[in-house]
Amino acid sequence: MKATIWIVIVLLPFFNFFIAPNISFADIGLLIGCVSLLFHNNKSIFILSSAENRKLIFLLIWVLFSSFLFILDTSNNYIKYLTIVTSHLRFLMILYLFFNLRFFFRNNYLLNYLIRVWVYVIYFICFLAFIEYSLQFFGIYYSYYFEGITTTTGRSLKESFRISSIFNEPSYLVIYLNFSLLVILEFINQNIINSKLKLRRLLIIIFLTTLFSKSLVGFVLMLILILMYKNLIFGNISIKNSLIIYFIFSLFSGLVLYLNMDRLEEIYLLEDGSANHRLLGALELSTIIFEGDNFIKGVGLGQHKNFLIAKSYSFNDHFFMKDVSRNSGINNMFLLILVQTGFVGLSLYLYFFYKTFRSRKSIFLFFFVSGFGWAFTFNPLYWFCVSILNIIINGRKKNLIHLH
């Protein structure tokens, strides 16, 4: 089982590396995890009658029902049936993972091992980011791009650029780091361990990487995590003198604002393409969906790209490149779910998240804010983090876990 965990965690950040069209290395890792889980325990099956699973089952039923309506409607000439099949298979794999990972991690030692491997992978990702950043001082504008395997978006290798390590975008880098950090912090917070020094080292490395990437989404998510886990991070200092914590928090916030002043000014003047795409572009595309007859049921699971190509809309702020087969063209999670599954699907999705993390509303807030940074309906990292957090928070483990 440890070998499977190692493979899944190591491949998890490589969702921008593709072994085949629309199939990433992270997808392969998730598939290996599902197959291993299937043979690991004969109880690891879909349990549709379980009350704790109904929240996500409602969404599954709606997706299947709406897809059936699309297939019957011959006027939807943009539908690609192969995409329908692959999208539903991926969704079923995600559901299988969410429902059944608890069988895998009944042994606390395995969850402990997962976290330790995850930390080492984070160090490796950040190390690659530091190399990418350092090389620019010597006029070497190298990025981790491999022809036929990875894609890059608007990055010039002739001038300085925001670092992103192995990811396509700086925002993807910091979202990976902060999602990983959320799981690690929640794991430590729920269990008795003695690794605060190593935790602070991890926090410093992630903070520096986020600082170099100049990703505002990353800064916001990390500040949320610091506020959520301030007692864990700062220990007795937080309890005895909260003023020190607020001073450190203000200092970090001020440093972030200072280093990003130029970009903040561009965002304020509506001249920052990335921010315009995520916010104004999302509003522009959602307006089209609201005005059409797809508001209730959406355009179909995994069909948003085919829909945009077929309709040939003209956008001012929403970016969409027909020739980039691996890009969704949507960097807002709520918009992507609305476009694909309609208002009903988005409502069921938010209902599932609220019910899953209702005991930890701060985590729900974290997911909500992150939704404006990227679109990850089927992203392996996203759903693996959700599944592990569900185990940590709702698993009701009785045994304590110790890290060494």
Side-chain angles (χ1 to χ4, degrees), residues 180-199:
S180 303
L181 184 59
L182 170 62
V183 175
I184 294 169
L185 287 172
E186 186 61 28
F187 171 80
I188 296 175
N189 192 50
Q190 295 270 348
N191 301 280
I192 299 175
I193 62 173
N194 296 308
S195 61
K196 289 184 179 178
L197 183 60
K198 294 181 179 179
L199 173 61

Side-chain angles (χ1 to χ4, degrees), residues 137-149:
F137 287 97
F138 301 97
I140 303 174
Y141 305 113
Y142 175 77
S143 181
Y144 301 99
Y145 172 78
F146 302 93
E147 187 68 35
I149 297 178

